[in-house]
Amino acid sequence: MSTQRPERLELLQGTLDLLILRTLIFGREHGQGISRAILQTSDNELLVEHGALYPALQRLEARGWIAAEWGTSTNNRKARFYTLTKAGRKQLVQETTQWRRIATAIGRVLGPESEES
Amino acid sequence: MRNLDDFREEIRAHVELEADRLREQGLSLEQARAAARRSFGNVAAVEERYYESRRWVWLDLLAQNLRFGLRMLRRNPGSSLVAVLTLALGIGANTAIFSLLNGLMLRHLPVRHPEELVLFGKGEWGGSANVLPNRNWQLFSYPGYRDFQRKNKVFSDVAAIDSILFTTHGRVASAENLEKVSVELVSGTFFQTLGVNAAIGRTLTDADDVHPGAHPIAVANYAWWKRRLGKAPSVLGTPVTIGKTTYSIVGVTPPQFFGAIVGQSPDLWIPLSMEKEVSPGWNGLDQDLFQSLYLFARREPGVSIRQASANVNVIFQQMVRAYAGTEASPKVLESISHAHVELTPAATGLARFRRQLAAPLVILMSMVALVLIIACANVANLLLARSASRQREIAVRMSIGAGRPRLIQQLLIESGLLGLAGAALSAPVAWVLLRLLLSMKSAPPALRVEPDWRVLVFALAITLLTVLLFGTVPAFRATRLDLPGSLRAGRSVTGGPDRNRLARGLIVGQVALSLAVLTGAGLLLHNLINLRNVDTGFDKRNVLLTGVDPAGAGYHEDVRLENMMESVEERVDALPGIYGAAFALSVFDGGGWTDSIVVPGQPPLQQDVTHNIVGTHYLEAMSMPLILGRYLTARDDHDSQKVAVINETLARTYFPGMSPVGRTFSIGMQPDWQGLQVVGVVRDAKYMGLQEKQQPAAFYPHAQHWSIVGNFAVRLSGDPKLAIPAIRKAIADVDPNLPVADFTTLEEVVNRSLASPRLVAELSSAFGALAALLASIGIYGVMSYAIVRRTNEFGVRMALGARRGDVQWMVLRETLRLVLVGVGAGLMLALILNRLMTSILFGLGPADPLAIGAAAALMIAVAILAGWIPARRATRIDPTVALRYE
């Protein structure tokens, strides 16, 4: 998409859900805030495509992992805020563990970092 | 579910929040807004994705597709109508025949746990078997029933039901006249074993079936209660007088219960203990070998049919050995060692005629299934042609981004609409056909054919199947195309060789299937013609028949009965224009008494003889020509030598190479039926139906065997209808209480006996015609289309000097080739399918050359006609126009 700058990493499929859940662990947040938070915490490496973000939020809400309500932002704008539910918290733990295992495994397969350029 | 506006609001908030952030970084309001919007990307695309993630989106799309589909169908009203009608006929015919099959073979009795019920034997015999059991046995005596009930360890209950439905006459409540009442005699355990409770009052119990003649009660059928008593709530205690006994109604069955015998629904159920009262000429509660009952039982939970069967057969063998007695010869012992009982599941009820009725139904079912496939092929062809002409539309839609799945869905929905419309229209088709089928003479009067879940599932399933059959291939084919080519070309690319091959394949298939149906129809027609020309062995003209009911009028088998019968015969005989009047135990196509005979000094033959007890002039009245000896005379009375007149087959079988006159034979053990002397031989005739194999038969005067008979036959000259009042009066003069049924002519009875083969032949011919018509529509469509495509080529050929005849022959030759391939395949199919019919064919093999030849000739003729019309059109092409065609 036009907004994606080439130097940034593309999100692996399925990781967006995990990142959203992780971001919400610090408290309620709206869509724009989630997208900023992911960008910032990833040292500007991960840019969330908005075309994917909102359907993902929709999906997580439908599964009951996050809940949503309209509220007011710090600069007094009306926004839709998302919070993590109990089920979402459980799901986060599960997915985090799984992701760590995958990352480690892939790391092992790829070998020590020094061999890469 | 969130609505789209709420979602838009969220996106707007997002963009504003982003703009706020950018302004904090020092951008102007305008710049910040523009940048925020830019960084968000395509708002519409996000909204669309959101929209598509919603759960009901497919419903929206479906509604769109439906609207579009309806529009497309309306745009081609002619071909859509043909398709819908074709499908309606196909689906309707299938549903109707399936409803009958369902009612006859699949439907469970409306009783508690029907799957636990088992029948002793197959329940195909009827009447009474009076010999020691010596094979797979089906009928049982009352003492036998009680033995099984007492000794078995596998059933929660055993019940008995008389194999004969007694149609007698009785007086209901305080009615003036005798009226027809049908009675099923059942054991007291009947309703409990079935698990049927009374809707009003009570059913029977074992305590109602203890002392012969001491339980004058009856349970009324709901249908009879409704029809005869108008659902009077005061039904309990209503008296019904049959013969000399008055029965009191103690209960009414629930509305859904028709009885345990499929297709037979009596008015009243009366305990078997009243057998002698209900049917004076047919009883033997205390006789071990008066085996006239069907037995059925309910298995204890957890008992398999095999376990039950083992237990039953042990009891049966002990029972039969006890019947044979201690002094039985080794030969008898050997013979009874073959006696056994095969338990069959009885969840669908008892049906004595199930096999006999099932054969024509299975044949018709196969035929309509083939017709439906042919119909599907036609609709598929139609859709192929239609999608070919829509190729440009489809190409345009695909090139501007319509997904292939969406297009396939769209095309399948159009097929689905056709299918649904066909299914909706098929309901009246099915209804009409069902009425027609139920008017079959052999159709049981009380078959439950109203649609149940099985019929509904069946109709839905075949509709779905047809949609898939005719819709899938065209849909996939239409959306698989070479885009640039289709867009560029006007029409020349449409179809293409591939489509053509498919269309031709469909034609070959259609011709083959049609030929199979036509051959079947031809076979059944030939069969009907054969049956019509069967030599009956009697003169069916100028004979009146009627039914009488001496038992209903209170007669017993004694001299009073005999005197009444003789007076009636004398009085009717004395009427002007009457040449012979006689009572008879059975008349043509009215069932009969069959039993083996024993000729002294000869080993018994395993062949049943058809016996008839008749008035003195019966044989003359029937015009069965005398070949040897003499007819019965008035001198053959109660005190003289017991005599018999036999037919040629009996003479040939039992008295080979000698004159039978003067020889004797006997039936069973009853003293009345020993030493019967043959006094005459008459020509062979048909007795129980035109299709029967030649039976040995014998006739006995009722003067020597006082017995209740149910038929009266009169030969007369002049208009039979005019003689009826006089005959009625003559009978009433003797006994005004004797119920006399409506009169029919023997000719009508003979014709009516052919009603069922005639209807099956007519229906199959109709299906055959339909199949041929559909196939020719298919041929016509494909060939017309092929000619339109080749207009250019024909123009060139004719411009180069080809004559009209050449072009015509070229087109026709192609049709002919397809048809001949189809006929070849069809013949093989027909030979296989026709084997289904052997059981109902009379003197014909499945490979009847006449039927096959006629069917093939008809098919080829129809196909050539269907191909010739478009071929002729090809020759009318004006070369100059044709060359400019594209």
Side-chain angles (χ1 to χ4, degrees), chain B residues 555-571 583 637-638 702-704 706-707 731 734-735 738:
Chain B
Y555 284 96
H556 293 278
E557 302 197 306
D558 54 20
V559 68
R560 188 174 149 255
L561 170 72
E562 179 54 29
N563 287 340
M564 181 274 287
M565 287 163 66
E566 282 178 17
S567 320
V568 167
E569 285 169 350
E570 270 167 34
R571 283 193 181 233
F583 285 94
D637 60 18
H638 199 63
H702 60 64
Q704 295 185 334
W706 300 338
S707 51
I731 297 174
V734 177
D735 183 349
L738 181 67

PDB file of all heavy atoms in Angstrom, chain B residues 555-571 583 637-638 702-704 706-707 731 734-735 738:
ATOM      1  N   TYR B 555     -76.642 -66.958   9.006  1.00  0.00           N
ATOM      2  CA  TYR B 555     -76.657 -68.376   8.637  1.00  0.00           C
ATOM      3  C   TYR B 555     -75.458 -69.111   9.209  1.00  0.00           C
ATOM      4  O   TYR B 555     -74.379 -68.535   9.393  1.00  0.00           O
ATOM      5  CB  TYR B 555     -76.648 -68.530   7.107  1.00  0.00           C
ATOM      6  CG  TYR B 555     -77.988 -68.232   6.477  1.00  0.00           C
ATOM      7  CD1 TYR B 555     -78.265 -66.969   5.964  1.00  0.00           C
ATOM      8  CD2 TYR B 555     -78.975 -69.225   6.407  1.00  0.00           C
ATOM      9  CE1 TYR B 555     -79.486 -66.682   5.400  1.00  0.00           C
ATOM     10  CE2 TYR B 555     -80.202 -68.950   5.834  1.00  0.00           C
ATOM     11  CZ  TYR B 555     -80.462 -67.673   5.335  1.00  0.00           C
ATOM     12  OH  TYR B 555     -81.680 -67.416   4.790  1.00  0.00           O
ATOM     13  N   HIS B 556     -75.648 -70.398   9.500  1.00  0.00           N
ATOM     14  CA  HIS B 556     -74.539 -71.268   9.864  1.00  0.00           C
ATOM     15  C   HIS B 556     -74.434 -72.335   8.794  1.00  0.00           C
ATOM     16  O   HIS B 556     -75.303 -72.455   7.935  1.00  0.00           O
ATOM     17  CB  HIS B 556     -74.775 -71.893  11.236  1.00  0.00           C
ATOM     18  CG  HIS B 556     -74.731 -70.870  12.326  1.00  0.00           C
ATOM     19  ND1 HIS B 556     -73.568 -70.406  12.872  1.00  0.00           N
ATOM     20  CD2 HIS B 556     -75.741 -70.192  12.950  1.00  0.00           C
ATOM     21  CE1 HIS B 556     -73.836 -69.501  13.782  1.00  0.00           C
ATOM     22  NE2 HIS B 556     -75.151 -69.337  13.851  1.00  0.00           N
ATOM     23  N   GLU B 557     -73.354 -73.124   8.874  1.00  0.00           N
ATOM     24  CA  GLU B 557     -73.170 -74.121   7.815  1.00  0.00           C
ATOM     25  C   GLU B 557     -74.029 -75.338   8.128  1.00  0.00           C
ATOM     26  O   GLU B 557     -73.543 -76.339   8.665  1.00  0.00           O
ATOM     27  CB  GLU B 557     -71.690 -74.472   7.704  1.00  0.00           C
ATOM     28  CG  GLU B 557     -70.880 -73.216   7.423  1.00  0.00           C
ATOM     29  CD  GLU B 557     -69.499 -73.502   6.903  1.00  0.00           C
ATOM     30  OE1 GLU B 557     -68.764 -74.257   7.538  1.00  0.00           O
ATOM     31  OE2 GLU B 557     -69.156 -72.957   5.827  1.00  0.00           O
ATOM     32  N   ASP B 558     -75.318 -75.220   7.802  1.00  0.00           N
ATOM     33  CA  ASP B 558     -76.233 -76.329   8.074  1.00  0.00           C
ATOM     34  C   ASP B 558     -77.293 -76.391   6.978  1.00  0.00           C
ATOM     35  O   ASP B 558     -77.219 -75.672   5.986  1.00  0.00           O
ATOM     36  CB  ASP B 558     -76.877 -76.154   9.461  1.00  0.00           C
ATOM     37  CG  ASP B 558     -77.542 -74.787   9.600  1.00  0.00           C
ATOM     38  OD1 ASP B 558     -77.839 -74.155   8.560  1.00  0.00           O
ATOM     39  OD2 ASP B 558     -77.754 -74.333  10.741  1.00  0.00           O
ATOM     40  N   VAL B 559     -78.251 -77.196   7.201  1.00  0.00           N
ATOM     41  CA  VAL B 559     -79.237 -77.461   6.148  1.00  0.00           C
ATOM     42  C   VAL B 559     -80.073 -76.214   5.834  1.00  0.00           C
ATOM     43  O   VAL B 559     -80.541 -76.026   4.718  1.00  0.00           O
ATOM     44  CB  VAL B 559     -80.126 -78.674   6.531  1.00  0.00           C
ATOM     45  CG1 VAL B 559     -81.015 -78.316   7.723  1.00  0.00           C
ATOM     46  CG2 VAL B 559     -80.928 -79.169   5.343  1.00  0.00           C
ATOM     47  N   ARG B 560     -80.226 -75.320   6.807  1.00  0.00           N
ATOM     48  CA  ARG B 560     -81.000 -74.104   6.565  1.00  0.00           C
ATOM     49  C   ARG B 560     -80.315 -73.253   5.498  1.00  0.00           C
ATOM     50  O   ARG B 560     -80.939 -72.703   4.595  1.00  0.00           O
ATOM     51  CB  ARG B 560     -81.117 -73.325   7.881  1.00  0.00           C
ATOM     52  CG  ARG B 560     -82.058 -72.161   7.777  1.00  0.00           C
ATOM     53  CD  ARG B 560     -82.285 -71.479   9.124  1.00  0.00           C
ATOM     54  NE  ARG B 560     -82.540 -70.077   8.881  1.00  0.00           N
ATOM     55  CZ  ARG B 560     -81.674 -69.100   9.093  1.00  0.00           C
ATOM     56  NH1 ARG B 560     -80.486 -69.384   9.594  1.00  0.00           N
ATOM     57  NH2 ARG B 560     -81.991 -67.859   8.817  1.00  0.00           N
ATOM     58  N   LEU B 561     -78.986 -73.175   5.615  1.00  0.00           N
ATOM     59  CA  LEU B 561     -78.198 -72.439   4.629  1.00  0.00           C
ATOM     60  C   LEU B 561     -78.367 -73.076   3.250  1.00  0.00           C
ATOM     61  O   LEU B 561     -78.623 -72.397   2.246  1.00  0.00           O
ATOM     62  CB  LEU B 561     -76.718 -72.468   5.041  1.00  0.00           C
ATOM     63  CG  LEU B 561     -75.713 -71.957   4.008  1.00  0.00           C
ATOM     64  CD1 LEU B 561     -75.796 -70.457   3.875  1.00  0.00           C
ATOM     65  CD2 LEU B 561     -74.295 -72.370   4.390  1.00  0.00           C
ATOM     66  N   GLU B 562     -78.240 -74.414   3.208  1.00  0.00           N
ATOM     67  CA  GLU B 562     -78.321 -75.123   1.939  1.00  0.00           C
ATOM     68  C   GLU B 562     -79.692 -74.902   1.285  1.00  0.00           C
ATOM     69  O   GLU B 562     -79.784 -74.639   0.096  1.00  0.00           O
ATOM     70  CB  GLU B 562     -78.055 -76.619   2.174  1.00  0.00           C
ATOM     71  CG  GLU B 562     -78.132 -77.485   0.936  1.00  0.00           C
ATOM     72  CD  GLU B 562     -77.218 -76.992  -0.187  1.00  0.00           C
ATOM     73  OE1 GLU B 562     -76.181 -76.380   0.105  1.00  0.00           O
ATOM     74  OE2 GLU B 562     -77.577 -77.206  -1.371  1.00  0.00           O
ATOM     75  N   ASN B 563     -80.749 -74.978   2.096  1.00  0.00           N
ATOM     76  CA  ASN B 563     -82.100 -74.773   1.550  1.00  0.00           C
ATOM     77  C   ASN B 563     -82.253 -73.377   0.972  1.00  0.00           C
ATOM     78  O   ASN B 563     -82.824 -73.195  -0.104  1.00  0.00           O
ATOM     79  CB  ASN B 563     -83.147 -74.976   2.648  1.00  0.00           C
ATOM     80  CG  ASN B 563     -83.281 -76.455   2.990  1.00  0.00           C
ATOM     81  OD1 ASN B 563     -82.884 -77.315   2.186  1.00  0.00           O
ATOM     82  ND2 ASN B 563     -83.809 -76.748   4.172  1.00  0.00           N
ATOM     83  N   MET B 564     -81.737 -72.404   1.695  1.00  0.00           N
ATOM     84  CA  MET B 564     -81.839 -71.034   1.195  1.00  0.00           C
ATOM     85  C   MET B 564     -81.137 -70.924  -0.153  1.00  0.00           C
ATOM     86  O   MET B 564     -81.660 -70.371  -1.115  1.00  0.00           O
ATOM     87  CB  MET B 564     -81.206 -70.086   2.223  1.00  0.00           C
ATOM     88  CG  MET B 564     -81.245 -68.618   1.855  1.00  0.00           C
ATOM     89  SD  MET B 564     -79.860 -68.101   0.810  1.00  0.00           S
ATOM     90  CE  MET B 564     -78.510 -68.095   1.978  1.00  0.00           C
ATOM     91  N   MET B 565     -79.897 -71.469  -0.229  1.00  0.00           N
ATOM     92  CA  MET B 565     -79.123 -71.333  -1.458  1.00  0.00           C
ATOM     93  C   MET B 565     -79.831 -72.024  -2.628  1.00  0.00           C
ATOM     94  O   MET B 565     -79.902 -71.482  -3.736  1.00  0.00           O
ATOM     95  CB  MET B 565     -77.709 -71.899  -1.263  1.00  0.00           C
ATOM     96  CG  MET B 565     -76.844 -70.984  -0.402  1.00  0.00           C
ATOM     97  SD  MET B 565     -75.360 -71.740   0.272  1.00  0.00           S
ATOM     98  CE  MET B 565     -74.425 -72.068  -1.162  1.00  0.00           C
ATOM     99  N   GLU B 566     -80.365 -73.206  -2.365  1.00  0.00           N
ATOM    100  CA  GLU B 566     -81.033 -73.914  -3.462  1.00  0.00           C
ATOM    101  C   GLU B 566     -82.277 -73.162  -3.914  1.00  0.00           C
ATOM    102  O   GLU B 566     -82.552 -73.072  -5.115  1.00  0.00           O
ATOM    103  CB  GLU B 566     -81.379 -75.356  -3.032  1.00  0.00           C
ATOM    104  CG  GLU B 566     -80.146 -76.238  -3.077  1.00  0.00           C
ATOM    105  CD  GLU B 566     -80.418 -77.681  -2.622  1.00  0.00           C
ATOM    106  OE1 GLU B 566     -81.599 -78.077  -2.573  1.00  0.00           O
ATOM    107  OE2 GLU B 566     -79.439 -78.382  -2.307  1.00  0.00           O
ATOM    108  N   SER B 567     -83.040 -72.600  -2.956  1.00  0.00           N
ATOM    109  CA  SER B 567     -84.242 -71.861  -3.357  1.00  0.00           C
ATOM    110  C   SER B 567     -83.876 -70.639  -4.183  1.00  0.00           C
ATOM    111  O   SER B 567     -84.536 -70.330  -5.175  1.00  0.00           O
ATOM    112  CB  SER B 567     -85.039 -71.376  -2.142  1.00  0.00           C
ATOM    113  OG  SER B 567     -85.064 -72.343  -1.159  1.00  0.00           O
ATOM    114  N   VAL B 568     -82.823 -69.935  -3.764  1.00  0.00           N
ATOM    115  CA  VAL B 568     -82.427 -68.745  -4.515  1.00  0.00           C
ATOM    116  C   VAL B 568     -82.056 -69.147  -5.938  1.00  0.00           C
ATOM    117  O   VAL B 568     -82.501 -68.534  -6.913  1.00  0.00           O
ATOM    118  CB  VAL B 568     -81.250 -68.025  -3.819  1.00  0.00           C
ATOM    119  CG1 VAL B 568     -80.634 -66.988  -4.748  1.00  0.00           C
ATOM    120  CG2 VAL B 568     -81.700 -67.383  -2.524  1.00  0.00           C
ATOM    121  N   GLU B 569     -81.246 -70.197  -6.071  1.00  0.00           N
ATOM    122  CA  GLU B 569     -80.821 -70.622  -7.414  1.00  0.00           C
ATOM    123  C   GLU B 569     -82.035 -71.009  -8.266  1.00  0.00           C
ATOM    124  O   GLU B 569     -82.139 -70.615  -9.434  1.00  0.00           O
ATOM    125  CB  GLU B 569     -79.849 -71.802  -7.311  1.00  0.00           C
ATOM    126  CG  GLU B 569     -78.450 -71.372  -6.856  1.00  0.00           C
ATOM    127  CD  GLU B 569     -77.534 -72.541  -6.489  1.00  0.00           C
ATOM    128  OE1 GLU B 569     -78.027 -73.690  -6.408  1.00  0.00           O
ATOM    129  OE2 GLU B 569     -76.328 -72.300  -6.278  1.00  0.00           O
ATOM    130  N   GLU B 570     -82.978 -71.759  -7.665  1.00  0.00           N
ATOM    131  CA  GLU B 570     -84.159 -72.179  -8.417  1.00  0.00           C
ATOM    132  C   GLU B 570     -84.965 -70.981  -8.885  1.00  0.00           C
ATOM    133  O   GLU B 570     -85.371 -70.895 -10.035  1.00  0.00           O
ATOM    134  CB  GLU B 570     -85.064 -73.052  -7.537  1.00  0.00           C
ATOM    135  CG  GLU B 570     -84.744 -74.523  -7.630  1.00  0.00           C
ATOM    136  CD  GLU B 570     -85.443 -75.310  -6.521  1.00  0.00           C
ATOM    137  OE1 GLU B 570     -86.576 -74.909  -6.139  1.00  0.00           O
ATOM    138  OE2 GLU B 570     -84.851 -76.283  -6.013  1.00  0.00           O
ATOM    139  N   ARG B 571     -85.210 -70.044  -7.958  1.00  0.00           N
ATOM    140  CA  ARG B 571     -86.056 -68.893  -8.301  1.00  0.00           C
ATOM    141  C   ARG B 571     -85.426 -68.033  -9.372  1.00  0.00           C
ATOM    142  O   ARG B 571     -86.101 -67.564 -10.280  1.00  0.00           O
ATOM    143  CB  ARG B 571     -86.302 -68.043  -7.056  1.00  0.00           C
ATOM    144  CG  ARG B 571     -87.331 -68.675  -6.178  1.00  0.00           C
ATOM    145  CD  ARG B 571     -87.779 -67.687  -5.139  1.00  0.00           C
ATOM    146  NE  ARG B 571     -88.757 -68.344  -4.308  1.00  0.00           N
ATOM    147  CZ  ARG B 571     -89.963 -67.846  -4.060  1.00  0.00           C
ATOM    148  NH1 ARG B 571     -90.312 -66.697  -4.584  1.00  0.00           N
ATOM    149  NH2 ARG B 571     -90.796 -68.498  -3.299  1.00  0.00           N
ATOM    150  N   PHE B 583     -74.490 -70.127  -6.846  1.00  0.00           N
ATOM    151  CA  PHE B 583     -73.567 -69.605  -5.845  1.00  0.00           C
ATOM    152  C   PHE B 583     -72.186 -70.185  -6.110  1.00  0.00           C
ATOM    153  O   PHE B 583     -72.056 -71.254  -6.717  1.00  0.00           O
ATOM    154  CB  PHE B 583     -74.019 -70.007  -4.439  1.00  0.00           C
ATOM    155  CG  PHE B 583     -75.199 -69.213  -3.946  1.00  0.00           C
ATOM    156  CD1 PHE B 583     -76.497 -69.688  -4.116  1.00  0.00           C
ATOM    157  CD2 PHE B 583     -74.998 -67.996  -3.313  1.00  0.00           C
ATOM    158  CE1 PHE B 583     -77.574 -68.953  -3.663  1.00  0.00           C
ATOM    159  CE2 PHE B 583     -76.089 -67.258  -2.849  1.00  0.00           C
ATOM    160  CZ  PHE B 583     -77.374 -67.738  -3.027  1.00  0.00           C
ATOM    161  N   ASP B 637     -76.662 -84.785  -4.356  1.00  0.00           N
ATOM    162  CA  ASP B 637     -77.104 -84.092  -3.137  1.00  0.00           C
ATOM    163  C   ASP B 637     -76.398 -84.640  -1.911  1.00  0.00           C
ATOM    164  O   ASP B 637     -75.480 -85.456  -1.995  1.00  0.00           O
ATOM    165  CB  ASP B 637     -78.637 -84.161  -3.007  1.00  0.00           C
ATOM    166  CG  ASP B 637     -79.107 -85.594  -2.929  1.00  0.00           C
ATOM    167  OD1 ASP B 637     -78.271 -86.488  -2.631  1.00  0.00           O
ATOM    168  OD2 ASP B 637     -80.313 -85.830  -3.178  1.00  0.00           O
ATOM    169  N   HIS B 638     -76.889 -84.215  -0.740  1.00  0.00           N
ATOM    170  CA  HIS B 638     -76.200 -84.492   0.503  1.00  0.00           C
ATOM    171  C   HIS B 638     -76.032 -85.986   0.781  1.00  0.00           C
ATOM    172  O   HIS B 638     -75.072 -86.399   1.428  1.00  0.00           O
ATOM    173  CB  HIS B 638     -76.971 -83.839   1.659  1.00  0.00           C
ATOM    174  CG  HIS B 638     -76.126 -83.678   2.875  1.00  0.00           C
ATOM    175  ND1 HIS B 638     -74.997 -82.880   2.921  1.00  0.00           N
ATOM    176  CD2 HIS B 638     -76.225 -84.230   4.126  1.00  0.00           C
ATOM    177  CE1 HIS B 638     -74.450 -82.936   4.111  1.00  0.00           C
ATOM    178  NE2 HIS B 638     -75.176 -83.755   4.860  1.00  0.00           N
ATOM    179  N   HIS B 702     -72.272 -77.446  -3.793  1.00  0.00           N
ATOM    180  CA  HIS B 702     -72.469 -77.027  -2.397  1.00  0.00           C
ATOM    181  C   HIS B 702     -73.527 -77.867  -1.705  1.00  0.00           C
ATOM    182  O   HIS B 702     -73.595 -77.912  -0.488  1.00  0.00           O
ATOM    183  CB  HIS B 702     -72.733 -75.520  -2.286  1.00  0.00           C
ATOM    184  CG  HIS B 702     -73.938 -75.001  -3.009  1.00  0.00           C
ATOM    185  ND1 HIS B 702     -75.219 -75.364  -2.702  1.00  0.00           N
ATOM    186  CD2 HIS B 702     -74.037 -74.107  -4.037  1.00  0.00           C
ATOM    187  CE1 HIS B 702     -76.072 -74.733  -3.496  1.00  0.00           C
ATOM    188  NE2 HIS B 702     -75.376 -73.966  -4.331  1.00  0.00           N
ATOM    189  N   ALA B 703     -74.327 -78.558  -2.500  1.00  0.00           N
ATOM    190  CA  ALA B 703     -75.338 -79.420  -1.895  1.00  0.00           C
ATOM    191  C   ALA B 703     -74.686 -80.524  -1.071  1.00  0.00           C
ATOM    192  O   ALA B 703     -75.296 -81.069  -0.144  1.00  0.00           O
ATOM    193  CB  ALA B 703     -76.228 -80.026  -2.986  1.00  0.00           C
ATOM    194  N   GLN B 704     -73.427 -80.849  -1.400  1.00  0.00           N
ATOM    195  CA  GLN B 704     -72.754 -81.923  -0.659  1.00  0.00           C
ATOM    196  C   GLN B 704     -71.823 -81.395   0.417  1.00  0.00           C
ATOM    197  O   GLN B 704     -71.293 -82.160   1.208  1.00  0.00           O
ATOM    198  CB  GLN B 704     -71.952 -82.795  -1.649  1.00  0.00           C
ATOM    199  CG  GLN B 704     -72.865 -83.520  -2.632  1.00  0.00           C
ATOM    200  CD  GLN B 704     -72.107 -84.472  -3.538  1.00  0.00           C
ATOM    201  OE1 GLN B 704     -70.923 -84.282  -3.799  1.00  0.00           O
ATOM    202  NE2 GLN B 704     -72.800 -85.505  -4.027  1.00  0.00           N
ATOM    203  N   TRP B 706     -72.243 -78.297   2.788  1.00  0.00           N
ATOM    204  CA  TRP B 706     -72.893 -77.075   3.239  1.00  0.00           C
ATOM    205  C   TRP B 706     -71.858 -76.082   3.712  1.00  0.00           C
ATOM    206  O   TRP B 706     -71.240 -76.260   4.759  1.00  0.00           O
ATOM    207  CB  TRP B 706     -73.854 -77.402   4.373  1.00  0.00           C
ATOM    208  CG  TRP B 706     -74.923 -78.370   3.945  1.00  0.00           C
ATOM    209  CD1 TRP B 706     -75.340 -78.613   2.667  1.00  0.00           C
ATOM    210  CD2 TRP B 706     -75.677 -79.228   4.791  1.00  0.00           C
ATOM    211  NE1 TRP B 706     -76.318 -79.565   2.656  1.00  0.00           N
ATOM    212  CE2 TRP B 706     -76.550 -79.962   3.946  1.00  0.00           C
ATOM    213  CE3 TRP B 706     -75.708 -79.446   6.170  1.00  0.00           C
ATOM    214  CZ2 TRP B 706     -77.446 -80.911   4.456  1.00  0.00           C
ATOM    215  CZ3 TRP B 706     -76.591 -80.370   6.669  1.00  0.00           C
ATOM    216  CH2 TRP B 706     -77.456 -81.090   5.810  1.00  0.00           C
ATOM    217  N   SER B 707     -71.676 -75.066   2.939  1.00  0.00           N
ATOM    218  CA  SER B 707     -70.672 -74.101   3.400  1.00  0.00           C
ATOM    219  C   SER B 707     -71.047 -72.692   2.963  1.00  0.00           C
ATOM    220  O   SER B 707     -71.716 -72.480   1.955  1.00  0.00           O
ATOM    221  CB  SER B 707     -69.281 -74.475   2.903  1.00  0.00           C
ATOM    222  OG  SER B 707     -69.302 -74.688   1.522  1.00  0.00           O
ATOM    223  N   ILE B 731     -84.166 -62.986  -4.983  1.00  0.00           N
ATOM    224  CA  ILE B 731     -83.375 -63.340  -3.798  1.00  0.00           C
ATOM    225  C   ILE B 731     -84.091 -62.876  -2.530  1.00  0.00           C
ATOM    226  O   ILE B 731     -84.203 -63.612  -1.551  1.00  0.00           O
ATOM    227  CB  ILE B 731     -81.961 -62.702  -3.878  1.00  0.00           C
ATOM    228  CG1 ILE B 731     -81.200 -63.249  -5.086  1.00  0.00           C
ATOM    229  CG2 ILE B 731     -81.193 -62.973  -2.601  1.00  0.00           C
ATOM    230  CD1 ILE B 731     -79.854 -62.592  -5.333  1.00  0.00           C
ATOM    231  N   VAL B 734     -86.750 -65.031  -1.110  1.00  0.00           N
ATOM    232  CA  VAL B 734     -86.321 -66.172  -0.296  1.00  0.00           C
ATOM    233  C   VAL B 734     -85.895 -65.699   1.091  1.00  0.00           C
ATOM    234  O   VAL B 734     -86.298 -66.260   2.099  1.00  0.00           O
ATOM    235  CB  VAL B 734     -85.156 -66.920  -0.984  1.00  0.00           C
ATOM    236  CG1 VAL B 734     -84.662 -68.057  -0.097  1.00  0.00           C
ATOM    237  CG2 VAL B 734     -85.598 -67.443  -2.340  1.00  0.00           C
ATOM    238  N   ASP B 735     -85.037 -64.679   1.129  1.00  0.00           N
ATOM    239  CA  ASP B 735     -84.620 -64.142   2.420  1.00  0.00           C
ATOM    240  C   ASP B 735     -84.353 -62.643   2.296  1.00  0.00           C
ATOM    241  O   ASP B 735     -83.317 -62.246   1.775  1.00  0.00           O
ATOM    242  CB  ASP B 735     -83.346 -64.866   2.907  1.00  0.00           C
ATOM    243  CG  ASP B 735     -82.930 -64.363   4.294  1.00  0.00           C
ATOM    244  OD1 ASP B 735     -83.485 -63.342   4.770  1.00  0.00           O
ATOM    245  OD2 ASP B 735     -82.038 -64.997   4.894  1.00  0.00           O
ATOM    246  N   LEU B 738     -80.877 -61.306   3.483  1.00  0.00           N
ATOM    247  CA  LEU B 738     -79.582 -61.686   2.922  1.00  0.00           C
ATOM    248  C   LEU B 738     -78.960 -60.474   2.210  1.00  0.00           C
ATOM    249  O   LEU B 738     -79.499 -59.976   1.232  1.00  0.00           O
ATOM    250  CB  LEU B 738     -79.757 -62.834   1.919  1.00  0.00           C
ATOM    251  CG  LEU B 738     -78.460 -63.335   1.279  1.00  0.00           C
ATOM    252  CD1 LEU B 738     -77.578 -64.016   2.319  1.00  0.00           C
ATOM    253  CD2 LEU B 738     -78.752 -64.280   0.127  1.00  0.00           C
TER     254      LEU B 738
END
